Amino acid sequence: MKTSTFIYKNRKLLFLIIFFGMGASVMAQQISNDTTDLQMNMDAVYNRPFLQAGSFPVALGGYVEAHGQYFVTDGISEGISFKIPRMTLFVSSSILDRIKFLSEIEFEEGTKEINIEFAALDFEFHPLFNLRGGIIMNPIGAFNQNHDGPNWEFVDRPISATTIIPSTFSNVGFGFHGKTYQKQWVWAYEAYVTNGFNDQIIANSEGRTWLPAAKENVDRFEENFNAVPLVTLKTAIRHRQIGEIGLSWMGDVYNKYEEDGLVLDTKRRLDVFAVDFNTTIKKKVNITGEWVWAFLNIPDTYSQQFGTQQQGGFVDVVYSIIKRKMLGWENARVNLAVRLEHVDYNVGSFNETRGTIHDDLQAIVPAISFRPSAQTVIRANYRYMWETDLLGNPPVKTAGIEIGVSSYF
């Protein structure tokens, strides 16, 4: 058996071995109860600025984004437009010692959509064992949890993190999370069962395999589509000087295979794997990246334009060129950045010709940003993107400028 075939057929088993192996390498030494140091991507949910008045038990916060853009696609432009893609409100409360609540409510496109991104209770039994229940952001990759606009130098969210991993992706469910420390190292895990996907990921108006279509199911916060839970696992390890690397998986049966005891179809699985990393070099250069693979069992009645495999990712490189008092703001900063992106929505070849199936997209996004503080950013991006259709015809090229602001409040 070929090595690649063995890995694919045993991908879930291999992930579980890595999941527990990373934790064992840290827990083999003495467990520390310190949970205040070495923030990780999983901590992004609570690692936000909140405002609390005196002894009032509820803290408030949020962030807002607004930008303008001008794009040209193959010489055709729709001109300049402005929008406020999202405004988000946070409400948190420490109900009792080691019991806390957080909610995140997002208003998109000027209230065109109002979504509950997160609304969960945390019960902290031990640093390594904490129960979480409610509306949970599935910990797949890093961006899905660490998605707040003020944290990024780029106006648009990463393409792979919104079209393969359908960020922000949340579901109702329960699970456990925890961390353990040893000197310079910290290991963390998350494990949840939640409501999941449905057959709209192939039965949609996009005409391709499209995981974000599952978010259009208005009933997903009150019932599971087919009674099979979506399982999401993540393990991550961080070194104080080196950085963080995380591995994650979520898997589900996405189709309704039976109804009232009547078998309608075979169980068709969806499995998504992701690896993410971030590191800082000499406190001036920050590198963040994420890569994702999606594997689907597509019915034979669907054409080859519906991909059984998808993959993509991004790498951000941010270089701090100035950090000093500027325009009256202490510790203001000017950053130069670049994002490289690739997405392939249909990995494979045509059955008849063995020619490569394309349906892919690449982008390069240089950027400059000014930060009066770490919580506020003014940013300007130039996006150059080329997209190739299913048959590999000459790519459609898009270029444009985006200028935006984003801030916690």
Side-chain angles (χ1 to χ4, degrees):
M1 181 183 296
K2 292 184 179 179
T3 302
S4 59
T5 303
F6 175 82
I7 292 174
Y8 176 76
K9 290 185 175 180
N10 298 276
R11 56 194 186 277
K12 287 184 284 185
L13 175 61
L14 293 172
F15 179 84
L16 290 172
I17 292 172
I18 295 172
F19 182 91
F20 291 108
M22 289 174 68
S25 66
V26 175
M27 289 191 291
Q29 303 184 49
Q30 183 179 0
I31 294 177
S32 168
N33 290 330
D34 179 15
T35 60
T36 61
D37 199 9
L38 288 175
Q39 296 291 318
M40 304 180 74
N41 278 310
M42 67 176 290
D43 301 311
V45 172
Y46 280 97
N47 188 24
R48 292 157 158 167
F50 290 92
L51 178 64
Q52 187 169 6
S55 59
F56 192 65
V58 175
L60 304 175
Y63 73 89
V64 65
E65 293 185 85
H67 68 259
Q69 61 185 27
Y70 175 79
F71 279 102
V72 177
T73 300
D74 284 349
I76 301 174
S77 173
E78 295 184 356
I80 299 173
S81 63
F82 303 93
K83 65 179 180 178
I84 179 165
R86 59 191 59 88
M87 187 188 78
T88 301
L89 298 178
F90 311 137
V91 179
S92 71
S93 177
S94 294
I95 299 170
L96 286 173
D97 185 31
R98 295 178 291 113
I99 300 177
K100 56 187 179 181
F101 169 80
L102 173 70
S103 66
E104 177 182 347
I105 302 173
E106 186 168 276
F107 302 85
E108 297 185 4
E109 308 291 349
T111 69
K112 184 184 294 185
E113 293 185 22
I114 302 175
N115 298 309
I116 301 176
E117 304 284 359
F118 188 89
L121 279 166
D122 274 19
F123 298 83
E124 301 174 1
F125 299 109
H126 184 274
L128 262 175
F129 187 75
N130 305 276
L131 171 66
R132 175 172 289 170
I135 297 177
I136 296 164
M137 277 184 284
N138 299 74
I140 182 73
F143 185 86
N144 194 51
Q145 291 176 298
N146 190 15
H147 58 263
D148 291 359
N151 293 335
W152 301 84
E153 314 306 308
F154 302 91
V155 172
D156 286 333
R157 293 178 168 183
I159 299 170
S160 61
T162 53
T163 61
I164 298 181
I165 298 174
S167 300
T168 304
F169 189 58
S170 305
N171 286 289
V172 181
F174 292 86
F176 301 96
H177 63 91
K179 291 194 292 186
T180 182
Y181 295 80
Q182 178 59 39
K183 296 181 180 179
Q184 301 290 317
W185 293 93
V186 57
W187 172 73
Y189 78 93
E190 294 181 85
Y192 302 107
V193 289
T194 65
N195 291 343
F197 290 88
N198 61 13
D199 55 10
Q200 286 183 281
I201 63 176
I202 55 174
N204 57 68
S205 59
E206 293 288 330
R208 58 154 68 114
T209 301
W210 192 249
L211 271 59
K215 295 170 65 175
E216 298 174 7
N217 177 14
V218 296
D219 297 324
R220 66 190 177 95
F221 284 168
E222 59 182 85
E223 64 178 357
N224 203 3
F225 178 67
N226 56 13
V228 178
L230 171 67
V231 178
T232 310
L233 301 176
K234 181 167 185 179
T235 181
I237 192 166
R238 183 177 184 86
H239 187 274
R240 186 188 303 274
Q241 304 299 328
I242 300 172
E244 177 181 347
I245 184 168
L247 300 173
S248 49
W249 161 73
M250 65 180 179
D252 188 16
V253 173
Y254 70 87
N255 67 320
K256 185 159 286 189
Y257 57 92
E258 67 176 16
E259 184 75 40
D260 296 329
L262 177 64
V263 176
L264 305 176
D265 193 4
T266 59
K267 293 182 179 180
R268 300 193 180 276
R269 285 199 59 83
L270 161 67
D271 292 287
V272 181
F273 297 85
V275 57
D276 61 85
F277 69 91
N278 64 77
T279 186
T280 300
I281 302 172
K282 295 183 178 180
K283 297 183 179 181
K284 282 186 171 291
V285 179
N286 181 265
I287 303 173
T288 301
E290 181 176 285
W291 194 267
V292 57
W293 299 264
F295 302 90
L296 297 95
N297 181 351
I298 304 292
D300 294 335
T301 53
Y302 279 72
S303 70
Q304 295 173 66
Q305 73 188 57
F306 292 86
T308 59
Q309 295 183 41
Q310 297 183 331
Q311 66 177 9
F314 71 94
V315 176
D316 290 356
V317 181
V318 181
Y319 176 54
S320 180
I321 59 173
I322 302 174
K323 183 181 179 181
R324 59 179 175 82
K325 184 176 181 178
M326 285 183 282
L327 303 175
W329 288 296
E330 299 287 345
N331 298 319
R333 184 177 300 208
V334 176
N335 293 330
L336 293 179
V338 64
R339 170 176 288 170
L340 305 176
E341 301 189 79
H342 171 78
V343 174
D344 189 339
Y345 295 115
N346 200 329
V347 178
S349 55
F350 289 104
N351 296 332
E352 298 81 5
T353 65
R354 310 310 302 170
T356 300
I357 301 176
H358 286 271
D359 197 9
D360 51 47
L361 181 153
Q362 287 72 229
I364 180 170
V365 189
I368 184 170
S369 65
F370 172 65
R371 288 186 173 272
S373 73
Q375 299 176 5
T376 303
V377 60
I378 303 171
R379 52 202 177 191
N381 299 174
Y382 174 79
R383 171 174 289 274
Y384 181 73
M385 183 169 62
W386 57 104
E387 186 171 6
T388 306
D389 67 12
L390 202 71
L391 300 176
N393 291 313
V396 175
K397 297 179 180 179
T398 300
I401 296 173
E402 296 175 289
I403 298 175
V405 296
S406 184
S407 181
Y408 287 109
F409 55 82

